[in-house]
Amino acid sequence: MLTTPDAAAGDHALRAHRYPEWQRQVAARSALNMVFYRPGRDAARVRCPLLVVVAENDRSTPTRLTVRATRAAASAELVRIPGGHYEPFLAGHARAIEAELSFLRRHVLGNQSPGGSETPADAEAPRETA
């Protein structure tokens, strides 16, 4: 459904070639609902720990709006990675997985980060890592 320049990397990033039976179809009603989808409106209501991995050059989901929504959430952590919309599935995959596992260790398992503190060393409100 994406028509932005980032969309060209979609099939490669999602490894569509490995799933030839995958039907690249979306129900029309999904497209109609997307027009009204604004997750940033409700970000301030999120009370559970929240991890947001944002691609710095995302041309499908505006980085500026994602960062603003993350800052509105009470317990949010923002991780920035270089690249476009699908970067967490491409060259930035290891960095995204590292951030996700660290987040889950701290918030699900209650483990401290490898540095010995509860949050990443460069933590801010919201906690943000590069």
Side-chain angles (χ1 to χ4, degrees):
M1 273 184 45
L2 294 179
T3 59
T4 62
D6 287 345
D11 278 357
H12 176 69
L14 300 176
R15 299 189 171 122
H17 63 281
R18 293 184 64 192
Y19 308 98
E21 67 282 351
W22 177 32
Q23 296 180 21
R24 293 169 188 83
Q25 300 175 352
V26 176
R29 66 183 170 273
S30 298
L32 296 174
N33 289 334
M34 284 183 63
V35 174
F36 303 105
Y37 183 64
R38 299 286 185 267
R41 289 182 187 163
D42 296 318
R45 295 178 39 209
V46 176
R47 296 290 174 240
C48 64
L50 173 67
L51 174 66
V52 178
V53 178
V54 63
E56 289 288 346
N57 303 108
D58 193 327
R59 294 175 70 188
S60 298
T61 306
T63 302
R64 174 182 53 82
L65 298 177
T66 304
V67 170
R68 185 173 26 177
T70 304
R71 288 187 175 141
S75 299
E77 296 180 29
L78 178 66
V79 176
R80 297 171 181 257
I81 59 173
H85 187 75
Y86 289 102
E87 194 62 26
F89 303 100
L90 298 168
H93 187 71
R95 175 67 183 108
I97 293 295
E98 175 188 318
E100 292 163 358
L101 289 174
S102 174
F103 178 86
L104 290 171
R105 285 183 191 111
R106 286 182 281 110
H107 294 286
V108 176
L109 300 177
N111 294 350
Q112 294 182 337
S113 64
S117 63
E118 280 295 317
T119 59
D122 54 355
E124 298 175 5
R127 289 187 261 338
E128 186 171 338
T129 59

